[in-house]
Amino acid sequence: MCDYSLEAYQSRPAAVGEKLTLGRFASGSMGFASGTVCDTAVCIPAESKLLLEGIGESTQKEHGIGAVEEAVLTRLAGGPYKDAVRFSNGAEVLLQRLNCGLSAVVMTYGAELAEPSHSAPTAARALELV
């Protein structure tokens, strides 16, 4: 996911295992990039699991989390920004409210990829058809 505010930038999908940095693009919007230069938005699908490192002290105190936490990327309804993370304690925080420079490792790549494909018959079913 990349917020609509990042549509003006080149973008590419994230890869599992990739380490990204949360940064402020020239538009003022926060988003993930590879490295410290915010010229290409790296988009991560909803329900992807991330390992966040470098969470700021004020965010830690406000939401009862640590400096390093696992979180799930989610999309919130309403407001100008939608991309957020959900922590294991249920706290949801917009990317816009997290600190620049925070790093995220993509641990899993979205729930939609975990579902089995129904387009091809399984081997057992193929044998039944013979």
Side-chain angles (χ1 to χ4, degrees), residues 26-98:
S27 64
S29 296
M30 299 283 281
F32 288 108
S34 181
T36 57
V37 177
C38 293
D39 57 359
T40 299
V42 181
C43 302
I44 306 167
E47 301 305 316
S48 294
K49 188 185 290 187
L50 307 174
L51 177 64
L52 302 179
E53 299 175 348
I55 299 170
E57 287 184 33
S58 61
T59 302
Q60 292 177 48
K61 289 178 186 175
E62 183 178 350
H63 298 288
I65 56 174
V68 177
E69 291 279 340
E70 286 187 10
V72 175
L73 196 68
T74 189
R75 191 156 184 86
L76 301 180
Y81 297 105
K82 311 259 187 267
D83 290 351
V85 291
R86 182 177 56 249
F87 295 99
S88 60
N89 67 3
E92 294 182 328
V93 181
L94 284 169
L95 294 186
Q96 305 301 312
R97 314 263 298 149
L98 295 172

Short mmCIF file of all heavy atoms in Angstrom, two decimals, residues 26-98:
data_model
loop_
_atom_site.label_atom_id
_atom_site.label_comp_id
_atom_site.label_asym_id
_atom_site.label_seq_id
_atom_site.Cartn_x
_atom_site.Cartn_y
_atom_site.Cartn_z
N ALA A 26 9.02 14.77 -0.55
CA ALA A 26 8.97 16.21 -0.81
C ALA A 26 7.55 16.77 -0.66
O ALA A 26 7.37 17.94 -0.31
CB ALA A 26 9.52 16.53 -2.19
N SER A 27 6.53 15.94 -0.87
CA SER A 27 5.14 16.37 -0.73
C SER A 27 4.75 16.58 0.74
O SER A 27 3.70 17.13 1.03
CB SER A 27 4.19 15.31 -1.32
OG SER A 27 4.30 14.10 -0.58
N GLY A 28 5.60 16.11 1.66
CA GLY A 28 5.29 16.19 3.08
C GLY A 28 4.72 14.90 3.63
O GLY A 28 4.59 14.74 4.84
N SER A 29 4.38 13.96 2.77
CA SER A 29 3.81 12.69 3.19
C SER A 29 4.89 11.71 3.61
O SER A 29 5.98 11.67 3.02
CB SER A 29 3.00 12.06 2.06
OG SER A 29 1.90 12.88 1.75
N MET A 30 4.58 10.89 4.61
CA MET A 30 5.49 9.86 5.08
C MET A 30 5.24 8.58 4.29
O MET A 30 4.09 8.26 3.97
CB MET A 30 5.26 9.58 6.57
CG MET A 30 5.48 10.78 7.46
SD MET A 30 7.21 11.11 7.73
CE MET A 30 7.55 9.88 8.97
N GLY A 31 6.31 7.87 4.00
CA GLY A 31 6.19 6.60 3.30
C GLY A 31 7.50 5.84 3.39
O GLY A 31 8.52 6.37 3.83
N PHE A 32 7.47 4.59 2.98
CA PHE A 32 8.66 3.75 3.02
C PHE A 32 9.49 3.92 1.75
O PHE A 32 8.95 4.04 0.66
CB PHE A 32 8.29 2.28 3.21
CG PHE A 32 7.80 1.99 4.60
CD1 PHE A 32 6.46 1.72 4.83
CD2 PHE A 32 8.67 1.99 5.68
CE1 PHE A 32 6.00 1.46 6.11
CE2 PHE A 32 8.23 1.73 6.96
CZ PHE A 32 6.88 1.46 7.18
N ALA A 33 10.79 3.93 1.94
CA ALA A 33 11.74 4.03 0.83
C ALA A 33 12.90 3.09 1.12
O ALA A 33 13.11 2.68 2.26
CB ALA A 33 12.24 5.46 0.68
N SER A 34 13.64 2.77 0.09
CA SER A 34 14.83 1.95 0.25
C SER A 34 16.00 2.90 0.43
O SER A 34 16.33 3.65 -0.48
CB SER A 34 15.01 1.08 -1.00
OG SER A 34 16.14 0.27 -0.85
N GLY A 35 16.60 2.92 1.59
CA GLY A 35 17.67 3.86 1.87
C GLY A 35 17.12 5.15 2.44
O GLY A 35 15.98 5.22 2.90
N THR A 36 17.92 6.21 2.38
CA THR A 36 17.54 7.47 3.01
C THR A 36 16.96 8.50 2.05
O THR A 36 16.48 9.53 2.48
CB THR A 36 18.76 8.08 3.73
OG1 THR A 36 19.82 8.24 2.78
CG2 THR A 36 19.23 7.19 4.87
N VAL A 37 17.03 8.24 0.74
CA VAL A 37 16.51 9.19 -0.24
C VAL A 37 15.07 8.81 -0.58
O VAL A 37 14.79 7.68 -0.97
CB VAL A 37 17.38 9.19 -1.52
CG1 VAL A 37 16.80 10.14 -2.56
CG2 VAL A 37 18.81 9.57 -1.18
N CYS A 38 14.17 9.77 -0.42
CA CYS A 38 12.75 9.51 -0.68
C CYS A 38 12.39 9.95 -2.09
O CYS A 38 11.77 11.00 -2.31
CB CYS A 38 11.88 10.25 0.34
SG CYS A 38 12.05 9.62 2.00
N ASP A 39 12.78 9.14 -3.08
CA ASP A 39 12.42 9.46 -4.45
C ASP A 39 11.57 8.36 -5.08
O ASP A 39 10.88 8.59 -6.06
CB ASP A 39 13.65 9.74 -5.31
CG ASP A 39 14.65 8.59 -5.31
OD1 ASP A 39 14.41 7.57 -4.63
OD2 ASP A 39 15.68 8.71 -5.99
N THR A 40 11.59 7.15 -4.51
CA THR A 40 10.75 6.04 -4.97
C THR A 40 10.02 5.46 -3.76
O THR A 40 10.67 5.04 -2.79
CB THR A 40 11.60 4.93 -5.63
OG1 THR A 40 12.28 5.49 -6.77
CG2 THR A 40 10.74 3.77 -6.08
N ALA A 41 8.70 5.46 -3.82
CA ALA A 41 7.90 4.90 -2.73
C ALA A 41 7.92 3.38 -2.85
O ALA A 41 7.72 2.83 -3.93
CB ALA A 41 6.47 5.42 -2.80
N VAL A 42 8.16 2.71 -1.74
CA VAL A 42 8.13 1.25 -1.72
C VAL A 42 6.81 0.85 -1.07
O VAL A 42 6.55 1.17 0.09
CB VAL A 42 9.33 0.66 -0.95
CG1 VAL A 42 9.28 -0.86 -0.96
CG2 VAL A 42 10.64 1.15 -1.58
N CYS A 43 5.96 0.19 -1.84
CA CYS A 43 4.60 -0.11 -1.41
C CYS A 43 4.53 -1.52 -0.81
O CYS A 43 5.09 -2.46 -1.36
CB CYS A 43 3.64 0.01 -2.59
SG CYS A 43 3.68 1.67 -3.33
N ILE A 44 3.82 -1.63 0.30
CA ILE A 44 3.68 -2.88 1.03
C ILE A 44 2.20 -3.19 1.13
O ILE A 44 1.41 -2.34 1.54
CB ILE A 44 4.28 -2.74 2.45
CG1 ILE A 44 5.72 -2.23 2.37
CG2 ILE A 44 4.19 -4.05 3.21
CD1 ILE A 44 6.28 -1.77 3.71
N PRO A 45 1.78 -4.42 0.78
CA PRO A 45 0.35 -4.75 0.85
C PRO A 45 -0.19 -4.78 2.28
O PRO A 45 0.56 -5.07 3.23
CB PRO A 45 0.25 -6.14 0.23
CG PRO A 45 1.59 -6.52 -0.22
CD PRO A 45 2.57 -5.52 0.26
N ALA A 46 -1.47 -4.50 2.42
CA ALA A 46 -2.14 -4.59 3.71
C ALA A 46 -1.97 -5.99 4.27
O ALA A 46 -1.86 -6.96 3.51
CB ALA A 46 -3.63 -4.27 3.56
N GLU A 47 -1.92 -6.09 5.57
CA GLU A 47 -1.77 -7.34 6.32
C GLU A 47 -0.37 -7.93 6.24
O GLU A 47 -0.15 -9.05 6.70
CB GLU A 47 -2.83 -8.37 5.92
CG GLU A 47 -4.26 -7.89 6.14
CD GLU A 47 -4.54 -7.41 7.56
OE1 GLU A 47 -4.12 -8.08 8.52
OE2 GLU A 47 -5.16 -6.36 7.71
N SER A 48 0.59 -7.18 5.70
CA SER A 48 1.98 -7.62 5.74
C SER A 48 2.51 -7.42 7.15
O SER A 48 2.19 -6.42 7.80
CB SER A 48 2.83 -6.81 4.77
OG SER A 48 2.47 -7.08 3.44
N LYS A 49 3.32 -8.35 7.61
CA LYS A 49 3.91 -8.23 8.95
C LYS A 49 5.26 -7.55 8.82
O LYS A 49 6.07 -7.91 7.95
CB LYS A 49 4.07 -9.60 9.59
CG LYS A 49 4.51 -9.50 11.06
CD LYS A 49 4.80 -10.86 11.69
CE LYS A 49 3.55 -11.66 11.88
NZ LYS A 49 3.82 -12.91 12.64
N LEU A 50 5.50 -6.57 9.69
CA LEU A 50 6.74 -5.81 9.67
C LEU A 50 7.42 -5.89 11.03
O LEU A 50 6.75 -5.99 12.06
CB LEU A 50 6.45 -4.32 9.40
CG LEU A 50 5.62 -3.98 8.16
CD1 LEU A 50 5.32 -2.49 8.14
CD2 LEU A 50 6.36 -4.39 6.91
N LEU A 51 8.74 -5.82 11.04
CA LEU A 51 9.51 -5.64 12.25
C LEU A 51 9.98 -4.20 12.24
O LEU A 51 10.79 -3.83 11.39
CB LEU A 51 10.69 -6.61 12.32
CG LEU A 51 11.59 -6.44 13.55
CD1 LEU A 51 10.81 -6.75 14.84
CD2 LEU A 51 12.82 -7.31 13.44
N LEU A 52 9.45 -3.39 13.15
CA LEU A 52 9.80 -1.97 13.21
C LEU A 52 10.89 -1.77 14.25
O LEU A 52 10.80 -2.29 15.37
CB LEU A 52 8.58 -1.14 13.58
CG LEU A 52 7.37 -1.27 12.65
CD1 LEU A 52 6.22 -0.41 13.16
CD2 LEU A 52 7.74 -0.87 11.23
N GLU A 53 11.90 -1.00 13.89
CA GLU A 53 13.02 -0.70 14.79
C GLU A 53 13.23 0.80 14.82
O GLU A 53 13.14 1.47 13.80
CB GLU A 53 14.29 -1.38 14.30
CG GLU A 53 14.20 -2.89 14.25
CD GLU A 53 15.43 -3.54 13.66
OE1 GLU A 53 16.28 -2.84 13.07
OE2 GLU A 53 15.54 -4.76 13.77
N GLY A 54 13.48 1.33 16.01
CA GLY A 54 13.73 2.76 16.14
C GLY A 54 12.46 3.57 16.38
O GLY A 54 12.38 4.74 16.00
N ILE A 55 11.47 2.96 17.02
CA ILE A 55 10.22 3.67 17.33
C ILE A 55 10.53 4.73 18.38
O ILE A 55 11.18 4.45 19.40
CB ILE A 55 9.14 2.69 17.85
CG1 ILE A 55 8.83 1.64 16.76
CG2 ILE A 55 7.89 3.44 18.27
CD1 ILE A 55 7.98 0.48 17.24
N GLY A 56 10.10 5.96 18.12
CA GLY A 56 10.39 7.09 18.99
C GLY A 56 9.79 6.96 20.39
O GLY A 56 8.76 6.31 20.58
N GLU A 57 10.44 7.58 21.36
CA GLU A 57 10.01 7.50 22.76
C GLU A 57 8.59 8.00 22.98
O GLU A 57 7.84 7.40 23.74
CB GLU A 57 10.98 8.28 23.66
CG GLU A 57 12.30 7.58 23.83
CD GLU A 57 13.21 8.30 24.81
OE1 GLU A 57 12.70 8.91 25.78
OE2 GLU A 57 14.43 8.24 24.61
N SER A 58 8.21 9.08 22.32
CA SER A 58 6.85 9.61 22.54
C SER A 58 5.79 8.62 22.03
O SER A 58 4.76 8.42 22.67
CB SER A 58 6.68 10.98 21.88
OG SER A 58 6.88 10.89 20.48
N THR A 59 6.07 7.97 20.91
CA THR A 59 5.14 6.96 20.38
C THR A 59 5.10 5.75 21.31
O THR A 59 4.04 5.18 21.56
CB THR A 59 5.57 6.53 18.96
OG1 THR A 59 5.59 7.70 18.12
CG2 THR A 59 4.60 5.52 18.37
N GLN A 60 6.26 5.36 21.83
CA GLN A 60 6.32 4.24 22.77
C GLN A 60 5.43 4.50 23.99
O GLN A 60 4.62 3.65 24.38
CB GLN A 60 7.75 4.00 23.25
CG GLN A 60 8.70 3.50 22.18
CD GLN A 60 10.11 3.37 22.72
OE1 GLN A 60 10.32 2.82 23.80
NE2 GLN A 60 11.08 3.88 21.98
N LYS A 61 5.59 5.68 24.57
CA LYS A 61 4.82 6.03 25.77
C LYS A 61 3.33 6.15 25.48
O LYS A 61 2.50 5.65 26.23
CB LYS A 61 5.34 7.34 26.37
CG LYS A 61 6.71 7.20 27.01
CD LYS A 61 7.21 8.52 27.52
CE LYS A 61 8.64 8.38 28.04
NZ LYS A 61 9.21 9.66 28.44
N GLU A 62 3.00 6.80 24.38
CA GLU A 62 1.59 7.03 24.04
C GLU A 62 0.84 5.73 23.77
O GLU A 62 -0.34 5.61 24.10
CB GLU A 62 1.50 7.95 22.82
CG GLU A 62 0.09 8.30 22.43
CD GLU A 62 0.02 9.25 21.23
OE1 GLU A 62 1.05 9.81 20.82
OE2 GLU A 62 -1.10 9.44 20.72
N HIS A 63 1.51 4.74 23.19
CA HIS A 63 0.82 3.52 22.76
C HIS A 63 1.23 2.27 23.53
O HIS A 63 0.76 1.17 23.21
CB HIS A 63 1.02 3.32 21.25
CG HIS A 63 0.45 4.44 20.45
ND1 HIS A 63 -0.91 4.63 20.28
CD2 HIS A 63 1.06 5.46 19.80
CE1 HIS A 63 -1.12 5.72 19.54
NE2 HIS A 63 0.06 6.23 19.24
N GLY A 64 2.10 2.41 24.53
CA GLY A 64 2.48 1.27 25.35
C GLY A 64 3.26 0.21 24.59
O GLY A 64 2.99 -0.98 24.72
N ILE A 65 4.22 0.65 23.78
CA ILE A 65 5.03 -0.27 22.96
C ILE A 65 6.51 -0.01 23.22
O ILE A 65 6.86 0.97 23.88
CB ILE A 65 4.70 -0.11 21.46
CG1 ILE A 65 4.91 1.33 21.01
CG2 ILE A 65 3.27 -0.58 21.17
CD1 ILE A 65 4.74 1.57 19.53
N GLY A 66 7.36 -0.87 22.68
CA GLY A 66 8.80 -0.71 22.83
C GLY A 66 9.43 -0.05 21.61
O GLY A 66 8.75 0.30 20.64
N ALA A 67 10.75 0.07 21.65
CA ALA A 67 11.50 0.67 20.54
C ALA A 67 11.55 -0.26 19.33
O ALA A 67 11.70 0.19 18.20
CB ALA A 67 12.92 1.01 20.98
N VAL A 68 11.41 -1.57 19.58
CA VAL A 68 11.39 -2.57 18.52
C VAL A 68 10.11 -3.38 18.70
O VAL A 68 9.86 -3.91 19.78
CB VAL A 68 12.62 -3.51 18.59
CG1 VAL A 68 12.54 -4.59 17.53
CG2 VAL A 68 13.91 -2.70 18.46
N GLU A 69 9.29 -3.45 17.67
CA GLU A 69 8.00 -4.14 17.75
C GLU A 69 7.65 -4.76 16.41
O GLU A 69 8.00 -4.22 15.36
CB GLU A 69 6.86 -3.15 18.09
CG GLU A 69 6.89 -2.59 19.47
CD GLU A 69 6.32 -3.51 20.52
OE1 GLU A 69 5.55 -4.43 20.18
OE2 GLU A 69 6.63 -3.30 21.71
N GLU A 70 6.93 -5.88 16.47
CA GLU A 70 6.30 -6.42 15.27
C GLU A 70 4.97 -5.70 15.11
O GLU A 70 4.29 -5.38 16.09
CB GLU A 70 6.06 -7.92 15.39
CG GLU A 70 7.32 -8.73 15.26
CD GLU A 70 7.05 -10.22 15.21
OE1 GLU A 70 5.88 -10.64 15.10
OE2 GLU A 70 8.04 -10.97 15.29
N ALA A 71 4.59 -5.44 13.87
CA ALA A 71 3.33 -4.76 13.58
C ALA A 71 2.82 -5.26 12.23
O ALA A 71 3.56 -5.84 11.44
CB ALA A 71 3.53 -3.25 13.53
N VAL A 72 1.53 -5.03 11.99
CA VAL A 72 0.90 -5.42 10.74
C VAL A 72 0.47 -4.14 10.03
O VAL A 72 -0.14 -3.26 10.64
CB VAL A 72 -0.32 -6.33 11.01
CG1 VAL A 72 -1.07 -6.64 9.72
CG2 VAL A 72 0.13 -7.62 11.68
N LEU A 73 0.80 -4.03 8.74
CA LEU A 73 0.38 -2.87 7.97
C LEU A 73 -1.12 -2.96 7.74
O LEU A 73 -1.65 -4.02 7.38
CB LEU A 73 1.12 -2.80 6.64
CG LEU A 73 1.03 -1.45 5.94
CD1 LEU A 73 1.79 -0.39 6.72
CD2 LEU A 73 1.60 -1.54 4.56
N THR A 74 -1.81 -1.87 7.96
CA THR A 74 -3.26 -1.85 7.81
C THR A 74 -3.67 -0.55 7.12
O THR A 74 -2.86 0.35 6.93
CB THR A 74 -3.96 -2.01 9.18
OG1 THR A 74 -5.35 -2.19 8.99
CG2 THR A 74 -3.72 -0.81 10.08
N ARG A 75 -4.93 -0.47 6.75
CA ARG A 75 -5.46 0.72 6.08
C ARG A 75 -6.65 1.21 6.89
O ARG A 75 -7.60 0.47 7.10
CB ARG A 75 -5.88 0.35 4.66
CG ARG A 75 -6.19 1.56 3.81
CD ARG A 75 -6.01 1.19 2.33
NE ARG A 75 -6.19 2.33 1.49
CZ ARG A 75 -5.24 3.20 1.18
NH1 ARG A 75 -4.04 3.05 1.64
NH2 ARG A 75 -5.48 4.21 0.38
N LEU A 76 -6.58 2.46 7.36
CA LEU A 76 -7.64 3.04 8.17
C LEU A 76 -8.65 3.76 7.28
O LEU A 76 -8.30 4.24 6.20
CB LEU A 76 -7.06 4.02 9.19
CG LEU A 76 -6.03 3.44 10.17
CD1 LEU A 76 -5.53 4.52 11.11
CD2 LEU A 76 -6.60 2.27 10.94
N ALA A 77 -9.87 3.84 7.75
CA ALA A 77 -10.93 4.57 7.02
C ALA A 77 -10.93 6.02 7.48
O ALA A 77 -10.63 6.33 8.63
CB ALA A 77 -12.28 3.92 7.30
N GLY A 78 -11.27 6.91 6.57
CA GLY A 78 -11.40 8.33 6.90
C GLY A 78 -10.06 9.04 7.00
O GLY A 78 -9.03 8.42 7.20
N GLY A 79 -10.12 10.35 6.86
CA GLY A 79 -8.92 11.17 6.96
C GLY A 79 -8.13 11.20 5.66
O GLY A 79 -8.33 10.38 4.78
N PRO A 80 -7.22 12.16 5.56
CA PRO A 80 -6.45 12.30 4.33
C PRO A 80 -5.40 11.20 4.15
O PRO A 80 -4.98 10.92 3.04
CB PRO A 80 -5.78 13.66 4.48
CG PRO A 80 -5.74 13.91 5.95
CD PRO A 80 -6.94 13.22 6.53
N TYR A 81 -4.96 10.58 5.24
CA TYR A 81 -3.98 9.50 5.17
C TYR A 81 -4.64 8.22 5.66
O TYR A 81 -5.47 8.24 6.56
CB TYR A 81 -2.75 9.82 6.02
CG TYR A 81 -2.01 11.03 5.54
CD1 TYR A 81 -2.10 12.23 6.22
CD2 TYR A 81 -1.23 10.98 4.39
CE1 TYR A 81 -1.42 13.36 5.78
CE2 TYR A 81 -0.55 12.10 3.94
CZ TYR A 81 -0.66 13.29 4.64
OH TYR A 81 0.02 14.39 4.20
N LYS A 82 -4.23 7.09 5.09
CA LYS A 82 -4.86 5.81 5.42
C LYS A 82 -3.87 4.75 5.90
O LYS A 82 -4.24 3.87 6.65
CB LYS A 82 -5.58 5.26 4.18
CG LYS A 82 -6.47 6.27 3.48
CD LYS A 82 -7.90 6.07 3.82
CE LYS A 82 -8.81 6.95 2.99
NZ LYS A 82 -9.14 8.19 3.59
N ASP A 83 -2.62 4.78 5.43
CA ASP A 83 -1.64 3.75 5.78
C ASP A 83 -1.26 3.85 7.25
O ASP A 83 -0.90 4.92 7.75
CB ASP A 83 -0.39 3.88 4.92
CG ASP A 83 -0.63 3.48 3.47
OD1 ASP A 83 -1.71 2.96 3.17
OD2 ASP A 83 0.28 3.69 2.64
N ALA A 84 -1.35 2.70 7.94
CA ALA A 84 -1.06 2.66 9.38
C ALA A 84 -0.46 1.30 9.73
O ALA A 84 -0.45 0.38 8.91
CB ALA A 84 -2.34 2.89 10.17
N VAL A 85 0.01 1.19 10.96
CA VAL A 85 0.45 -0.09 11.49
C VAL A 85 -0.39 -0.42 12.71
O VAL A 85 -0.83 0.46 13.44
CB VAL A 85 1.96 -0.10 11.85
CG1 VAL A 85 2.82 -0.03 10.60
CG2 VAL A 85 2.31 1.01 12.81
N ARG A 86 -0.61 -1.74 12.90
CA ARG A 86 -1.35 -2.22 14.07
C ARG A 86 -0.39 -3.07 14.90
O ARG A 86 0.19 -4.04 14.40
CB ARG A 86 -2.56 -3.04 13.65
CG ARG A 86 -3.41 -3.54 14.81
CD ARG A 86 -4.66 -4.28 14.34
NE ARG A 86 -4.33 -5.40 13.46
CZ ARG A 86 -4.60 -5.45 12.16
NH1 ARG A 86 -5.22 -4.47 11.55
NH2 ARG A 86 -4.27 -6.52 11.45
N PHE A 87 -0.22 -2.68 16.16
CA PHE A 87 0.67 -3.40 17.06
C PHE A 87 -0.08 -4.54 17.75
O PHE A 87 -1.31 -4.58 17.74
CB PHE A 87 1.27 -2.43 18.08
CG PHE A 87 2.17 -1.40 17.46
CD1 PHE A 87 1.71 -0.12 17.20
CD2 PHE A 87 3.48 -1.71 17.12
CE1 PHE A 87 2.53 0.84 16.62
CE2 PHE A 87 4.31 -0.77 16.53
CZ PHE A 87 3.83 0.51 16.28
N SER A 88 0.66 -5.45 18.36
CA SER A 88 0.04 -6.63 18.99
C SER A 88 -0.91 -6.25 20.12
O SER A 88 -1.82 -7.01 20.43
CB SER A 88 1.11 -7.60 19.49
OG SER A 88 1.93 -6.96 20.45
N ASN A 89 -0.74 -5.08 20.72
CA ASN A 89 -1.66 -4.64 21.78
C ASN A 89 -2.92 -3.98 21.23
O ASN A 89 -3.76 -3.49 21.98
CB ASN A 89 -0.96 -3.70 22.77
CG ASN A 89 -0.56 -2.37 22.16
OD1 ASN A 89 -0.85 -2.08 21.00
ND2 ASN A 89 0.12 -1.55 22.94
N GLY A 90 -3.06 -3.95 19.89
CA GLY A 90 -4.25 -3.39 19.25
C GLY A 90 -4.12 -1.93 18.84
O GLY A 90 -4.97 -1.42 18.11
N ALA A 91 -3.09 -1.25 19.30
CA ALA A 91 -2.90 0.17 18.95
C ALA A 91 -2.64 0.30 17.45
O ALA A 91 -1.84 -0.45 16.88
CB ALA A 91 -1.74 0.76 19.73
N GLU A 92 -3.35 1.23 16.80
CA GLU A 92 -3.16 1.52 15.38
C GLU A 92 -2.61 2.93 15.25
O GLU A 92 -3.17 3.87 15.83
CB GLU A 92 -4.47 1.38 14.61
CG GLU A 92 -4.98 -0.04 14.59
CD GLU A 92 -6.26 -0.22 13.80
OE1 GLU A 92 -7.08 0.72 13.76
OE2 GLU A 92 -6.44 -1.31 13.22
N VAL A 93 -1.52 3.07 14.51
CA VAL A 93 -0.84 4.36 14.39
C VAL A 93 -0.59 4.63 12.91
O VAL A 93 0.00 3.81 12.20
CB VAL A 93 0.51 4.35 15.16
CG1 VAL A 93 1.19 5.71 15.05
CG2 VAL A 93 0.30 3.96 16.61
N LEU A 94 -1.03 5.80 12.44
CA LEU A 94 -0.76 6.22 11.06
C LEU A 94 0.74 6.33 10.84
O LEU A 94 1.49 6.75 11.74
CB LEU A 94 -1.39 7.57 10.79
CG LEU A 94 -2.89 7.63 10.57
CD1 LEU A 94 -3.37 9.08 10.58
CD2 LEU A 94 -3.27 6.94 9.26
N LEU A 95 1.20 5.99 9.64
CA LEU A 95 2.60 6.18 9.31
C LEU A 95 3.00 7.64 9.51
O LEU A 95 4.12 7.93 9.92
CB LEU A 95 2.89 5.78 7.86
CG LEU A 95 2.74 4.30 7.49
CD1 LEU A 95 3.21 4.07 6.06
CD2 LEU A 95 3.45 3.38 8.46
N GLN A 96 2.07 8.55 9.27
CA GLN A 96 2.33 9.98 9.40
C GLN A 96 2.70 10.37 10.84
O GLN A 96 3.29 11.42 11.07
CB GLN A 96 1.11 10.80 8.96
CG GLN A 96 0.61 10.50 7.56
CD GLN A 96 1.65 10.72 6.50
OE1 GLN A 96 2.30 11.75 6.47
NE2 GLN A 96 1.83 9.76 5.62
N ARG A 97 2.32 9.53 11.83
CA ARG A 97 2.56 9.83 13.24
C ARG A 97 3.80 9.12 13.79
O ARG A 97 4.15 9.30 14.94
CB ARG A 97 1.35 9.42 14.07
CG ARG A 97 0.04 9.85 13.47
CD ARG A 97 -0.61 11.08 13.91
NE ARG A 97 -1.01 11.13 15.28
CZ ARG A 97 -1.02 12.26 15.95
NH1 ARG A 97 -0.67 13.37 15.35
NH2 ARG A 97 -1.41 12.30 17.18
N LEU A 98 4.46 8.32 12.94
CA LEU A 98 5.69 7.66 13.36
C LEU A 98 6.88 8.55 13.00
O LEU A 98 6.76 9.49 12.23
CB LEU A 98 5.82 6.29 12.67
CG LEU A 98 4.76 5.26 13.05
CD1 LEU A 98 4.86 4.03 12.15
CD2 LEU A 98 4.87 4.88 14.52
#
